[in-house]
Amino acid sequence: MSENTSLVQDAGLAALDRLVGTWKVTGGAEGTVTYRWLEGGHFLIQDIDLEQYGERITGIEVIGRERPFGAEQASADIKSRFYGNKGDTLDYVYELEGDVLTIWGGEKGSPAYMRSTFDEAGDVLAGAWVYPGGGGYETTSTRVAPADR
């Protein structure tokens, strides 16, 4: 586990440390994503550089528990917001149970989600995006560089 996650007493968020590093993405989107901890270990940052449907998609995603101004406690769900080069701001909920990562589009339980499974070594994450009405796609992410620790 990285130094930043050891500062956080949040087992659910700390479990996402297995994403830290650079991944080659293949399938319905192609390119690389890199996960890294923001100092303090409360937020995981994803840097995105992909091509999908002939368009380049770049952006960042901030992943963690929401704690709005004035709130005493953080959200129960691990939420994220993606900020993209096309002006998109997309919200997700991350859920990791054992080796299965589910990323819900919008809120937990949404009909739009990605469900992937880590291989035994933890260096391949394979699954699919599911969209209501079809149009989802299979995706595989393979770790190509470990985390800078």
Side-chain angles (χ1 to χ4, degrees):
M1 191 166 288
S2 69
E3 181 179 318
N4 281 326
T5 56
S6 65
L7 302 173
V8 180
Q9 299 299 312
D10 181 332
L13 187 57
L16 294 179
D17 189 62
R18 67 195 302 182
L19 291 169
V20 173
T22 299
W23 300 77
K24 179 181 178 185
V25 179
T26 58
E30 305 268 336
T32 60
V33 297
T34 300
Y35 291 89
R36 59 189 166 81
W37 288 104
L38 186 65
E39 186 174 343
H42 297 280
F43 296 97
L44 189 61
I45 307 299
Q46 180 183 192
D47 298 299
I48 296 111
D49 188 353
L50 300 170
E51 186 172 315
Q52 185 176 35
Y53 307 120
E55 291 191 77
R56 185 159 185 228
I57 300 168
T58 61
I60 63 164
E61 184 177 13
V62 180
I63 306 160
R65 297 199 191 268
E66 288 183 344
R67 191 172 65 194
F69 184 75
E72 301 230 354
Q73 293 197 356
S75 63
D77 290 332
I78 297 172
K79 299 184 175 189
S80 76
R81 175 161 284 172
F82 167 79
Y83 300 90
N85 62 314
K86 309 266 187 224
D88 296 326
T89 56
L90 306 174
D91 295 327
Y92 299 95
V93 173
Y94 276 63
E95 183 177 44
L96 181 61
E97 294 181 355
D99 289 333
V100 178
L101 175 65
T102 303
I103 302 173
W104 302 97
E107 296 297 321
K108 190 173 180 177
S110 166
Y113 61 91
M114 190 234 5
R115 184 162 292 132
S116 294
T117 303
F118 284 96
D119 72 347
E120 191 173 322
D123 290 326
V124 176
L125 186 61
W129 276 99
V130 175
Y131 298 130
Y137 60 88
E138 292 187 11
T139 183
T140 301
S141 297
T142 304
R143 190 185 316 268
V144 294
D148 293 330
R149 306 244 188 231

